Amino acid sequence: MTPEEKRPTILYIEDDPGSQVLVKRMLEYAGYEVMVAGTGLAGINMARQRTPDLILMDINLPDLSGREVTTRLRALDRFQSVPIVALTAQSQVGEREKAIAAGLTGYLTKPIDVDTLPGQVARYLQGQRDEVAPDLLAEAQTAYSREVVERLEAKIREVEKAYNELNRLDKMKDAFIQLTAHELRTPLTLIYGYGRLLYDSPIVAAMIQQSDDVGRLIANLLEAIERMSSVINEILLISRVASGKVELSISVVRVVEIIQGVVAAYQSAIEQRQQQVVVDVEQAPSSMYADPDMLTLALENLLGNAIKYTPDGGTITLRATQHEDRVLITVQDTGIGINPDEQALIFERFYTAGDTQLHSTSKVAFRGGGLGLGLAIAKGIVEAHGGRIWVESAGRNEQTMPGSTFTVSLPLRGRLASPIRQH
Ligand code: ADP
Protein backbone atom coordinates (compact mmCIF):
# COMPACT_ATOMS: atom_id res chain seq x y z
CA MET A 1 0.00 0.00 0.00
CA THR A 2 1.54 3.35 -1.02
CA PRO A 3 1.22 6.32 1.39
CA GLU A 4 -1.15 8.08 -1.07
CA GLU A 5 -3.66 5.24 -0.96
CA LYS A 6 -6.39 5.69 1.59
CA ARG A 7 -5.95 3.18 4.38
CA PRO A 8 -9.06 1.05 5.03
CA THR A 9 -10.75 2.05 8.29
CA ILE A 10 -11.65 -0.58 10.84
CA LEU A 11 -13.94 0.02 13.80
CA TYR A 12 -13.23 -2.33 16.69
CA ILE A 13 -16.07 -2.54 19.22
CA GLU A 14 -14.65 -4.18 22.35
CA ASP A 15 -14.80 -3.45 26.08
CA ASP A 16 -11.67 -5.32 27.19
CA PRO A 17 -8.73 -2.86 27.27
CA GLY A 18 -6.13 -5.62 26.70
CA SER A 19 -7.80 -6.80 23.48
CA GLN A 20 -8.37 -3.20 22.39
CA VAL A 21 -4.63 -2.39 22.56
CA LEU A 22 -3.51 -5.67 21.00
CA VAL A 23 -5.85 -5.65 18.01
CA LYS A 24 -5.39 -1.91 17.37
CA ARG A 25 -1.59 -2.30 17.27
CA MET A 26 -1.71 -5.39 15.10
CA LEU A 27 -4.05 -3.93 12.54
CA GLU A 28 -2.31 -0.56 12.46
CA TYR A 29 0.94 -2.40 11.85
CA ALA A 30 -0.76 -4.18 8.95
CA GLY A 31 -1.68 -0.79 7.45
CA TYR A 32 -5.23 -0.18 8.65
CA GLU A 33 -6.65 2.85 10.38
CA VAL A 34 -8.29 1.63 13.57
CA MET A 35 -10.95 3.26 15.75
CA VAL A 36 -12.02 1.69 19.01
CA ALA A 37 -15.35 1.90 20.85
CA GLY A 38 -15.83 0.43 24.33
CA THR A 39 -19.60 -0.12 24.31
CA GLY A 40 -22.27 -1.10 21.80
CA LEU A 41 -23.93 2.33 21.82
CA ALA A 42 -20.59 4.15 21.45
CA GLY A 43 -19.83 1.80 18.55
CA ILE A 44 -23.11 2.62 16.80
CA ASN A 45 -22.43 6.35 17.18
CA MET A 46 -18.88 6.05 15.90
CA ALA A 47 -19.95 3.88 12.97
CA ARG A 48 -22.61 6.42 12.02
CA GLN A 49 -20.13 9.28 12.11
CA ARG A 50 -17.31 7.62 10.19
CA THR A 51 -18.78 4.67 8.20
CA PRO A 52 -15.79 2.29 8.51
CA ASP A 53 -14.82 -0.22 5.80
CA LEU A 54 -15.09 -3.12 8.26
CA ILE A 55 -16.30 -3.58 11.83
CA LEU A 56 -14.74 -6.07 14.25
CA MET A 57 -17.26 -6.86 16.94
CA ASP A 58 -16.99 -8.36 20.37
CA ILE A 59 -20.24 -10.19 21.24
CA ASN A 60 -20.33 -9.76 25.02
CA LEU A 61 -20.51 -6.00 25.43
CA PRO A 62 -21.65 -4.20 28.58
CA ASP A 63 -24.78 -2.66 27.05
CA LEU A 64 -26.09 -4.05 23.75
CA SER A 65 -24.72 -7.39 22.57
CA GLY A 66 -22.53 -7.45 19.45
CA ARG A 67 -25.43 -9.21 17.67
CA GLU A 68 -27.85 -6.41 18.58
CA VAL A 69 -25.39 -3.72 17.48
CA THR A 70 -25.09 -5.50 14.13
CA THR A 71 -28.85 -5.80 13.66
CA ARG A 72 -29.19 -2.09 14.46
CA LEU A 73 -26.48 -1.09 11.97
CA ARG A 74 -27.83 -3.37 9.23
CA ALA A 75 -31.11 -1.47 9.42
CA LEU A 76 -29.27 1.57 8.01
CA ASP A 77 -28.80 1.62 4.23
CA ARG A 78 -25.10 2.43 4.28
CA PHE A 79 -24.30 -0.56 6.52
CA GLN A 80 -26.03 -3.20 4.43
CA SER A 81 -22.83 -4.36 2.80
CA VAL A 82 -20.14 -3.32 5.30
CA PRO A 83 -18.48 -6.50 6.61
CA ILE A 84 -19.15 -6.92 10.33
CA VAL A 85 -17.03 -9.69 11.81
CA ALA A 86 -17.36 -11.14 15.31
CA LEU A 87 -14.16 -11.46 17.33
CA THR A 88 -15.27 -13.23 20.45
CA ALA A 89 -14.41 -15.66 23.19
CA GLN A 90 -17.82 -17.33 22.77
CA SER A 91 -17.29 -20.64 21.08
CA GLN A 92 -20.35 -22.62 22.27
CA VAL A 93 -22.41 -24.54 19.75
CA GLY A 94 -24.94 -22.37 17.97
CA GLU A 95 -23.23 -19.03 18.76
CA ARG A 96 -21.75 -18.69 15.30
CA GLU A 97 -25.11 -19.40 13.62
CA LYS A 98 -26.87 -16.91 15.90
CA ALA A 99 -24.30 -14.26 14.98
CA ILE A 100 -24.81 -14.85 11.24
CA ALA A 101 -28.59 -14.78 11.80
CA ALA A 102 -28.19 -11.35 13.45
CA GLY A 103 -26.43 -10.05 10.34
CA LEU A 104 -22.74 -10.63 11.04
CA THR A 105 -20.59 -11.46 8.06
CA GLY A 106 -18.09 -13.72 9.79
CA TYR A 107 -17.15 -15.24 13.12
CA LEU A 108 -13.60 -15.34 14.52
CA THR A 109 -12.92 -16.78 17.95
CA LYS A 110 -10.36 -15.73 20.56
CA PRO A 111 -7.58 -16.16 21.51
CA ILE A 112 -6.48 -13.66 18.94
CA ASP A 113 -3.90 -15.11 16.56
CA VAL A 114 -1.37 -12.41 15.76
CA ASP A 115 -0.20 -14.16 12.60
CA THR A 116 -3.55 -14.84 11.00
CA LEU A 117 -5.84 -11.96 12.02
CA PRO A 118 -4.62 -9.37 9.45
CA GLY A 119 -5.05 -11.92 6.64
CA GLN A 120 -8.54 -12.86 7.83
CA VAL A 121 -9.55 -9.20 8.00
CA ALA A 122 -8.21 -8.67 4.46
CA ARG A 123 -10.32 -11.57 3.15
CA TYR A 124 -13.52 -10.24 4.74
CA LEU A 125 -12.69 -6.85 3.22
CA GLN A 126 -12.42 -8.52 -0.17
CA GLY A 127 -15.91 -9.99 0.18
CA GLN A 128 -15.63 -13.27 2.06
CA ARG A 129 -18.84 -14.27 3.88
CA ASP A 130 -19.30 -17.15 6.31
CA GLU A 131 -22.01 -19.58 5.21
CA VAL A 132 -24.50 -21.40 7.41
CA ALA A 133 -26.82 -24.23 6.31
CA PRO A 134 -30.38 -22.87 5.76
CA ASP A 135 -32.04 -25.10 8.40
CA LEU A 136 -29.47 -24.10 11.03
CA LEU A 137 -29.90 -20.46 10.07
CA ALA A 138 -33.69 -20.60 10.52
CA GLU A 139 -33.26 -22.21 13.92
CA ALA A 140 -30.66 -19.60 14.90
CA GLN A 141 -32.95 -16.80 13.77
CA THR A 142 -35.71 -18.04 16.08
CA ALA A 143 -33.24 -18.39 18.97
CA TYR A 144 -31.92 -14.88 18.33
CA SER A 145 -35.41 -13.31 18.16
CA ARG A 146 -36.33 -14.97 21.44
CA GLU A 147 -33.12 -13.74 23.02
CA VAL A 148 -33.76 -10.14 21.90
CA VAL A 149 -37.34 -10.17 23.21
CA GLU A 150 -36.23 -11.66 26.53
CA ARG A 151 -33.53 -9.04 26.92
CA LEU A 152 -35.98 -6.30 26.05
CA GLU A 153 -38.39 -7.60 28.66
CA ALA A 154 -35.63 -7.71 31.30
CA LYS A 155 -34.55 -4.16 30.37
CA ILE A 156 -38.13 -2.84 30.63
CA ARG A 157 -38.41 -4.40 34.07
CA GLU A 158 -35.12 -2.77 35.08
CA VAL A 159 -36.24 0.64 33.79
CA GLU A 160 -39.60 0.26 35.56
CA LYS A 161 -37.82 -0.59 38.79
CA ALA A 162 -35.45 2.35 38.44
CA TYR A 163 -38.40 4.64 37.62
CA ASN A 164 -40.30 3.51 40.73
CA GLU A 165 -37.21 3.97 42.84
CA LEU A 166 -36.64 7.47 41.46
CA ASN A 167 -40.27 8.31 42.14
CA ARG A 168 -39.90 7.09 45.70
CA LEU A 169 -36.75 9.18 46.18
CA ASP A 170 -38.47 12.19 44.62
CA LYS A 171 -41.37 11.87 47.08
CA MET A 172 -38.90 11.49 49.95
CA LYS A 173 -37.12 14.62 48.78
CA ASP A 174 -40.40 16.56 48.65
CA ALA A 175 -41.31 15.31 52.13
CA PHE A 176 -37.85 16.29 53.36
CA ILE A 177 -38.15 19.77 51.88
CA GLN A 178 -41.59 20.26 53.41
CA LEU A 179 -40.43 19.08 56.81
CA THR A 180 -37.27 21.20 56.76
CA ALA A 181 -39.16 24.28 55.61
CA HIS A 182 -41.75 23.78 58.38
CA GLU A 183 -39.04 23.34 60.99
CA LEU A 184 -37.30 26.51 59.79
CA ARG A 185 -40.48 28.51 59.77
CA THR A 186 -41.31 27.97 63.44
CA PRO A 187 -38.15 29.53 64.93
CA LEU A 188 -38.19 32.22 62.27
CA THR A 189 -41.65 33.31 63.37
CA LEU A 190 -40.31 33.55 66.92
CA ILE A 191 -37.25 35.53 65.82
CA TYR A 192 -39.48 37.92 63.92
CA GLY A 193 -41.80 38.28 66.92
CA TYR A 194 -38.93 39.02 69.31
CA GLY A 195 -37.44 41.41 66.78
CA ARG A 196 -40.70 43.36 66.63
CA LEU A 197 -40.98 43.38 70.44
CA LEU A 198 -37.46 44.74 70.61
CA TYR A 199 -38.21 47.38 68.00
CA ASP A 200 -41.33 48.52 69.82
CA SER A 201 -39.85 48.43 73.36
CA PRO A 202 -39.45 51.79 75.12
CA ILE A 203 -35.72 51.22 75.74
CA VAL A 204 -35.01 50.63 72.06
CA ALA A 205 -37.32 53.50 71.10
CA ALA A 206 -35.19 55.73 73.31
CA MET A 207 -32.02 54.39 71.69
CA ILE A 208 -33.48 55.01 68.23
CA GLN A 209 -34.22 58.57 69.29
CA GLN A 210 -30.55 58.98 70.14
CA SER A 211 -29.16 57.26 67.08
CA ASP A 212 -30.81 56.54 63.71
CA ASP A 213 -28.37 53.66 63.22
CA VAL A 214 -30.07 51.47 65.81
CA GLY A 215 -33.43 51.86 64.09
CA ARG A 216 -31.93 51.12 60.70
CA LEU A 217 -30.16 48.01 62.00
CA ILE A 218 -33.34 46.56 63.46
CA ALA A 219 -35.36 47.45 60.36
CA ASN A 220 -32.77 45.68 58.19
CA LEU A 221 -32.91 42.68 60.48
CA LEU A 222 -36.69 42.47 60.26
CA GLU A 223 -36.59 42.92 56.49
CA ALA A 224 -34.07 40.07 56.13
CA ILE A 225 -36.29 37.83 58.27
CA GLU A 226 -39.33 38.69 56.16
CA ARG A 227 -37.35 37.87 53.06
CA MET A 228 -36.24 34.54 54.44
CA SER A 229 -39.75 33.66 55.46
CA SER A 230 -41.06 34.46 51.97
CA VAL A 231 -38.40 32.14 50.49
CA ILE A 232 -39.45 29.39 52.92
CA ASN A 233 -43.10 29.93 52.00
CA GLU A 234 -42.20 29.69 48.31
CA ILE A 235 -40.37 26.42 48.92
CA LEU A 236 -43.29 25.02 50.89
CA LEU A 237 -45.75 26.01 48.20
CA ILE A 238 -43.66 24.66 45.35
CA SER A 239 -43.28 21.29 47.03
CA ARG A 240 -47.06 21.18 47.34
CA VAL A 241 -47.40 22.22 43.69
CA ALA A 242 -44.89 19.54 42.66
CA SER A 243 -46.72 16.79 44.49
CA GLY A 244 -50.04 17.99 43.06
CA LYS A 245 -51.30 18.97 46.51
CA VAL A 246 -52.40 22.54 45.88
CA GLU A 247 -55.60 22.84 47.86
CA LEU A 248 -57.94 25.47 46.52
CA SER A 249 -60.67 27.25 48.43
CA ILE A 250 -62.87 28.21 45.54
CA SER A 251 -65.29 31.10 45.90
CA VAL A 252 -66.82 33.79 43.71
CA VAL A 253 -64.14 36.40 43.13
CA ARG A 254 -64.19 39.79 41.45
CA VAL A 255 -61.50 39.76 38.80
CA VAL A 256 -61.07 43.53 38.86
CA GLU A 257 -60.54 43.56 42.60
CA ILE A 258 -57.93 40.82 42.39
CA ILE A 259 -55.99 42.71 39.73
CA GLN A 260 -56.20 45.97 41.64
CA GLY A 261 -54.99 44.19 44.78
CA VAL A 262 -52.01 42.75 42.94
CA VAL A 263 -51.02 46.18 41.60
CA ALA A 264 -51.46 47.73 45.06
CA ALA A 265 -49.12 45.12 46.58
CA TYR A 266 -46.34 46.31 44.28
CA GLN A 267 -47.12 50.03 44.39
CA SER A 268 -43.95 51.08 46.16
CA ALA A 269 -41.74 48.97 43.88
CA ILE A 270 -43.47 50.40 40.81
CA GLU A 271 -42.87 53.92 42.07
CA GLN A 272 -39.28 53.15 42.96
CA ARG A 273 -38.68 51.92 39.41
CA GLN A 274 -40.66 54.80 37.91
CA GLN A 275 -42.64 52.31 35.89
CA GLN A 276 -46.07 52.90 34.50
CA VAL A 277 -48.73 50.28 35.13
CA VAL A 278 -51.78 50.30 32.89
CA VAL A 279 -54.80 48.30 34.04
CA ASP A 280 -57.34 47.50 31.34
CA VAL A 281 -60.34 45.66 32.74
CA GLU A 282 -63.09 47.02 30.51
CA GLN A 283 -63.77 43.65 28.92
CA ALA A 284 -63.25 41.69 32.11
CA PRO A 285 -66.00 39.43 33.46
CA SER A 286 -67.45 40.80 36.67
CA SER A 287 -66.83 37.62 38.63
CA MET A 288 -65.50 34.11 38.35
CA TYR A 289 -64.86 31.03 40.47
CA ALA A 290 -61.33 30.82 41.84
CA ASP A 291 -59.25 30.69 44.99
CA PRO A 292 -58.66 34.42 45.57
CA ASP A 293 -55.44 34.02 47.59
CA MET A 294 -53.90 31.57 45.14
CA LEU A 295 -54.93 33.54 42.06
CA THR A 296 -53.51 36.68 43.67
CA LEU A 297 -50.23 34.88 44.36
CA ALA A 298 -49.96 33.63 40.75
CA LEU A 299 -50.59 37.12 39.36
CA GLU A 300 -48.25 38.69 41.91
CA ASN A 301 -45.49 36.45 40.63
CA LEU A 302 -46.18 37.58 37.06
CA LEU A 303 -46.30 41.27 37.96
CA GLY A 304 -43.23 40.91 40.21
CA ASN A 305 -41.30 39.44 37.29
CA ALA A 306 -42.56 42.10 34.88
CA ILE A 307 -41.23 44.76 37.28
CA LYS A 308 -37.94 42.90 37.74
CA TYR A 309 -37.21 42.37 34.07
CA THR A 310 -38.37 45.77 32.78
CA PRO A 311 -35.97 48.71 33.01
CA ASP A 312 -36.78 51.81 35.00
CA GLY A 313 -39.39 53.92 33.28
CA GLY A 314 -40.93 50.97 31.38
CA THR A 315 -44.62 50.19 30.99
CA ILE A 316 -46.50 47.15 32.27
CA THR A 317 -50.05 46.44 31.13
CA LEU A 318 -52.43 44.15 32.97
CA ARG A 319 -55.48 43.21 30.97
CA ALA A 320 -58.45 40.94 31.67
CA THR A 321 -60.88 39.91 28.95
CA GLN A 322 -63.69 37.39 28.71
CA HIS A 323 -63.69 34.83 25.88
CA GLU A 324 -66.84 32.73 26.03
CA ASP A 325 -66.55 30.74 29.24
CA ARG A 326 -62.94 31.70 29.96
CA VAL A 327 -61.13 34.70 31.29
CA LEU A 328 -57.77 35.69 29.82
CA ILE A 329 -55.49 37.71 32.06
CA THR A 330 -52.34 39.09 30.44
CA VAL A 331 -49.33 40.77 31.96
CA GLN A 332 -47.40 42.56 29.25
CA ASP A 333 -44.10 44.27 29.87
CA THR A 334 -41.57 46.31 27.90
CA GLY A 335 -38.60 44.45 29.37
CA ILE A 336 -35.69 42.32 28.22
CA GLY A 337 -37.87 39.56 26.74
CA ILE A 338 -37.34 35.78 26.72
CA ASN A 339 -35.69 33.61 24.07
CA PRO A 340 -38.09 31.22 22.28
CA ASP A 341 -36.10 28.13 23.36
CA GLU A 342 -36.47 29.16 27.00
CA GLN A 343 -40.14 30.03 26.95
CA ALA A 344 -41.30 26.58 28.07
CA LEU A 345 -38.35 25.98 30.42
CA ILE A 346 -38.92 29.06 32.59
CA PHE A 347 -42.07 27.44 34.00
CA GLU A 348 -39.97 24.60 35.41
CA ARG A 349 -38.78 24.62 39.00
CA PHE A 350 -35.48 26.38 39.72
CA TYR A 351 -35.04 27.54 36.13
CA THR A 352 -33.65 31.01 35.66
CA ALA A 353 -32.83 32.37 32.22
CA GLY A 354 -29.70 34.34 31.44
CA ASP A 355 -28.04 36.66 33.92
CA THR A 356 -30.81 37.30 36.39
CA GLN A 357 -28.68 39.73 38.38
CA LEU A 358 -28.68 42.16 35.50
CA HIS A 359 -32.19 43.49 35.50
CA SER A 360 -33.64 41.71 38.40
CA THR A 361 -35.01 43.03 41.59
CA SER A 362 -36.01 40.53 44.21
CA LYS A 363 -39.51 40.57 45.63
CA VAL A 364 -38.60 42.53 48.74
CA ALA A 365 -35.54 44.61 48.07
CA PHE A 366 -35.97 44.66 44.29
CA ARG A 367 -32.42 43.69 43.64
CA GLY A 368 -30.78 40.32 42.92
CA GLY A 369 -32.08 37.21 41.11
CA GLY A 370 -34.81 34.92 42.39
CA LEU A 371 -34.90 31.21 43.07
CA GLY A 372 -36.60 30.36 39.80
CA LEU A 373 -39.75 29.22 41.57
CA GLY A 374 -42.21 32.04 40.89
CA LEU A 375 -43.40 30.85 37.48
CA ALA A 376 -43.50 27.19 38.53
CA ILE A 377 -45.77 28.23 41.40
CA ALA A 378 -47.94 30.33 39.08
CA LYS A 379 -48.23 27.40 36.66
CA GLY A 380 -49.15 24.98 39.46
CA ILE A 381 -51.85 27.33 40.72
CA VAL A 382 -53.27 28.03 37.26
CA GLU A 383 -53.35 24.33 36.36
CA ALA A 384 -54.99 23.44 39.67
CA HIS A 385 -57.78 25.81 38.55
CA GLY A 386 -58.05 23.89 35.26
CA GLY A 387 -56.34 26.72 33.37
CA ARG A 388 -53.27 27.29 31.22
CA ILE A 389 -50.37 29.72 31.34
CA TRP A 390 -47.93 30.64 28.59
CA VAL A 391 -45.61 33.38 27.44
CA GLU A 392 -45.04 35.15 24.15
CA SER A 393 -41.90 37.14 23.43
CA ALA A 394 -39.86 37.94 20.33
CA GLY A 395 -36.68 36.97 22.21
CA ARG A 396 -34.30 38.35 24.80
CA ASN A 397 -32.56 41.57 23.91
CA GLU A 398 -31.27 43.99 26.46
CA GLN A 399 -30.79 46.76 23.88
CA THR A 400 -34.12 46.71 22.06
CA MET A 401 -36.28 45.50 25.00
CA PRO A 402 -38.79 43.44 23.01
CA GLY A 403 -40.90 42.72 26.12
CA SER A 404 -42.88 39.65 27.16
CA THR A 405 -46.56 38.87 27.47
CA PHE A 406 -47.66 36.26 29.98
CA THR A 407 -51.21 34.96 29.56
CA VAL A 408 -53.30 33.07 32.06
CA SER A 409 -56.42 31.42 30.70
CA LEU A 410 -58.90 30.26 33.34
CA PRO A 411 -62.36 28.71 33.16
CA LEU A 412 -64.88 31.18 34.60
CA ARG A 413 -66.57 28.38 36.47
CA GLY A 414 -63.37 27.01 37.98
CA ARG A 415 -62.91 23.25 37.74
CA LEU A 416 -66.59 22.54 38.30
CA ALA A 417 -68.16 20.79 35.35
CA SER A 418 -71.83 21.35 36.15
CA PRO A 419 -73.48 24.76 35.68
CA ILE A 420 -73.40 26.84 38.83
CA ARG A 421 -75.92 29.31 40.09
CA GLN A 422 -74.35 32.73 40.48
CA HIS A 423 -74.86 34.23 43.93
P1 ADP B 1 -37.24 34.11 39.41
O1 ADP B 1 -37.55 34.01 40.86
O2 ADP B 1 -35.83 33.81 39.07
O3 ADP B 1 -37.76 35.35 38.79
P2 ADP B 1 -39.33 32.76 37.95
O4 ADP B 1 -39.78 31.32 37.96
O5 ADP B 1 -40.33 33.77 38.36
O6 ADP B 1 -38.02 32.86 38.81
O7 ADP B 1 -38.82 33.09 36.49
C1 ADP B 1 -37.92 32.21 35.86
C2 ADP B 1 -37.07 32.94 34.84
O8 ADP B 1 -37.88 33.40 33.77
C3 ADP B 1 -36.41 34.18 35.39
O9 ADP B 1 -35.17 33.87 35.98
C4 ADP B 1 -36.23 35.05 34.16
O10 ADP B 1 -35.04 34.70 33.50
C5 ADP B 1 -37.38 34.64 33.27
N1 ADP B 1 -38.51 35.62 33.30
C6 ADP B 1 -39.63 35.53 34.04
N2 ADP B 1 -40.45 36.57 33.81
C7 ADP B 1 -39.82 37.35 32.91
C8 ADP B 1 -40.16 38.58 32.24
N3 ADP B 1 -41.32 39.22 32.47
N4 ADP B 1 -39.27 39.07 31.35
C9 ADP B 1 -38.10 38.42 31.10
N5 ADP B 1 -37.73 37.27 31.69
C10 ADP B 1 -38.57 36.73 32.58
Side-chain angles (χ1 to χ4, degrees), residues 108-128:
L108 303 175
T109 46
K110 290 180 183 170
I112 295 158
D113 185 337
V114 182
D115 295 325
T116 56
L117 184 69
Q120 287 167 320
V121 165
R123 283 194 290 282
Y124 283 116
L125 271 170
Q126 280 154 16
Q128 177 182 311

Side-chain angles (χ1 to χ4, degrees), residues 305-306 308-309 333 336-338 346 351-353 356 363 370-376 396 404 406:
N305 279 344
K308 270 199 227 178
Y309 300 105
D333 63 47
I336 54 176
I338 302 158
I346 54 170
Y351 189 89
T352 53
T356 47
K363 296 203 171 84
L371 280 180
L373 290 180
L375 288 179
R396 183 186 171 106
S404 311
F406 284 81

Side-chain angles (χ1 to χ4, degrees), residues 57-241:
M57 181 83 75
D58 182 20
I59 296 294
N60 265 335
L61 290 164
D63 48 355
L64 293 168
S65 76
R67 289 184 285 273
E68 289 157 354
V69 174
T70 306
T71 305
R72 179 70 196 92
L73 288 175
R74 289 284 186 233
L76 305 171
D77 279 349
R78 62 200 160 101
F79 288 101
Q80 303 238 316
S81 58
V82 172
I84 306 180
V85 180
L87 184 55
T88 171
Q90 288 196 343
S91 54
Q92 296 98 307
V93 179
E95 286 299 325
R96 182 171 163 277
E97 289 70 18
K98 223 161 40 171
I100 306 296
L104 280 120
T105 317
Y107 200 82
L108 303 175
T109 46
K110 290 180 183 170
I112 295 158
D113 185 337
V114 182
D115 295 325
T116 56
L117 184 69
Q120 287 167 320
V121 165
R123 283 194 290 282
Y124 283 116
L125 271 170
Q126 280 154 16
Q128 177 182 311
R129 290 186 67 91
D130 289 10
E131 296 296 334
V132 172
D135 54 335
L136 287 182
L137 191 63
E139 207 177 290
Q141 251 149 3
T142 314
Y144 175 54
S145 305
R146 197 179 314 127
E147 175 190 293
V148 170
V149 174
E150 276 168 10
R151 270 194 18 102
L152 187 66
E153 188 189 335
K155 283 278 167 216
I156 291 174
R157 282 188 206 286
E158 253 175 55
V159 171
E160 251 177 13
K161 209 170 135 203
Y163 176 79
N164 290 338
E165 181 58 12
L166 279 178
N167 249 340
R168 193 180 68 81
L169 290 175
D170 198 44
K171 288 214 175 82
M172 258 173 76
K173 181 209 67 197
D174 279 339
F176 172 74
I177 292 175
Q178 289 217 17
L179 201 77
T180 315
H182 267 297
E183 292 300 312
L184 286 173
R185 201 161 62 165
T186 314
L188 204 63
T189 314
L190 284 176
I191 297 171
Y192 186 77
Y194 288 132
R196 277 240 72 101
L197 280 178
L198 205 62
Y199 194 64
D200 298 336
S201 77
I203 302 170
V204 174
M207 285 166 77
I208 293 172
Q209 288 250 308
Q210 279 174 14
S211 148
D212 277 353
D213 281 353
V214 177
R216 221 179 1 255
L217 284 178
I218 299 182
N220 285 349
L221 189 79
L222 292 177
E223 192 183 298
I225 298 170
E226 273 176 11
R227 220 169 139 172
M228 192 164 165
S229 99
S230 93
V231 167
I232 291 176
N233 284 339
E234 268 195 2
I235 291 175
L236 270 174
L237 187 58
I238 196 67
S239 67
R240 259 184 278 143
V241 167

